[in-house]
Amino acid sequence: MSILTSQIMVAKDKALQKSCISNLKQISTSMIMYYSIQDSYVYMPKTLSVINSAPDPHNAYNMWELEDSTFNCDAKHDTPVITEKKKENSYSFCEPKNNGVTPGIKYLEIESHERPIAGDQTVHSNGGKATIFYADGHVETQYSNSSQIKYEPKKK
């Protein structure tokens, strides 16, 4: 019975991590659609702020028309995050460096498979990986979190 219980817990953790990937994919798709249709400038914090606290007059919940729950990862994290509605959430923007993602840049100008946009604030407890999404819309898990990632353009 104890073996079965432990296997069920591992399966549950993996399902919650898959849910995290799905959430970030929804956020990335919404951002890309919003900024592409609007042909507007990116309104994102220059510092490591949570997605919910974008500095424009609208918060991300309304701006990208997503459910509140989309902004929270239910997987267990090494460092707990506050997930109280509209206070904080599990995901934050990756730290920009030099010409990183800052207000005043059109989203269409930054699409790149190398440019991290946002992801988990801390790594998942099971596996030590965080989920990150990139400007071209793909989402991947890796051994670092959004506060450890900096976009450094390749030198030509």
Side-chain angles (χ1 to χ4, degrees):
M1 189 65 161
S2 65
I3 294 172
L4 182 60
T5 304
S6 67
Q7 288 177 344
I8 289 171
M9 293 305 290
V10 169
K12 182 180 177 185
D13 285 345
K14 289 193 181 278
L16 291 173
Q17 289 178 18
K18 295 290 183 192
S19 173
C20 178
I21 292 169
S22 175
N23 285 349
L24 274 172
K25 188 64 181 166
Q26 287 181 57
I27 293 168
S28 69
T29 301
S30 298
M31 282 183 67
I32 291 168
M33 288 174 62
Y34 178 85
Y35 288 120
S36 297
I37 292 169
Q38 298 291 325
D39 192 34
S40 63
Y41 292 93
V42 177
Y43 293 102
M44 286 193 258
K46 191 171 184 177
T47 58
L48 292 174
S49 296
V50 294
I51 291 174
N52 181 26
S53 62
D56 66 312
H58 310 285
N59 65 32
Y61 297 112
N62 297 326
M63 198 161 98
W64 301 323
E65 298 181 5
L66 294 170
E67 294 292 323
D68 299 346
S69 60
T70 306
F71 293 88
N72 286 314
C73 173
D74 292 325
K76 293 178 185 171
H77 289 263
D78 282 350
T79 305
V81 291
I82 301 166
T83 57
E84 185 181 332
K85 184 178 174 181
K86 298 192 180 187
K87 293 283 185 193
E88 191 170 329
N89 53 59
S90 304
Y91 307 118
S92 63
F93 288 105
C94 298
E95 184 178 350
K97 183 175 182 181
N98 299 330
N99 64 340
V101 182
T102 59
I105 297 175
K106 287 198 174 188
Y107 198 88
L108 295 175
E109 296 172 13
I110 64 169
E111 289 180 324
S112 167
H113 68 281
E114 299 172 343
R115 185 186 296 270
I117 299 291
D120 281 315
Q121 290 182 45
T122 65
V123 295
H124 295 161
S125 297
N126 185 5
K129 290 185 176 182
T131 308
I132 307 292
F133 94 75
Y134 289 79
D136 68 348
H138 87 276
V139 176
E140 66 181 61
T141 57
Q142 53 196 44
Y143 289 103
S144 56
N145 59 43
S146 61
S147 64
Q148 296 171 320
I149 295 177
K150 295 179 176 138
Y151 170 70
E152 297 183 44
K154 290 185 177 177
K155 296 181 181 180
K156 296 180 182 178

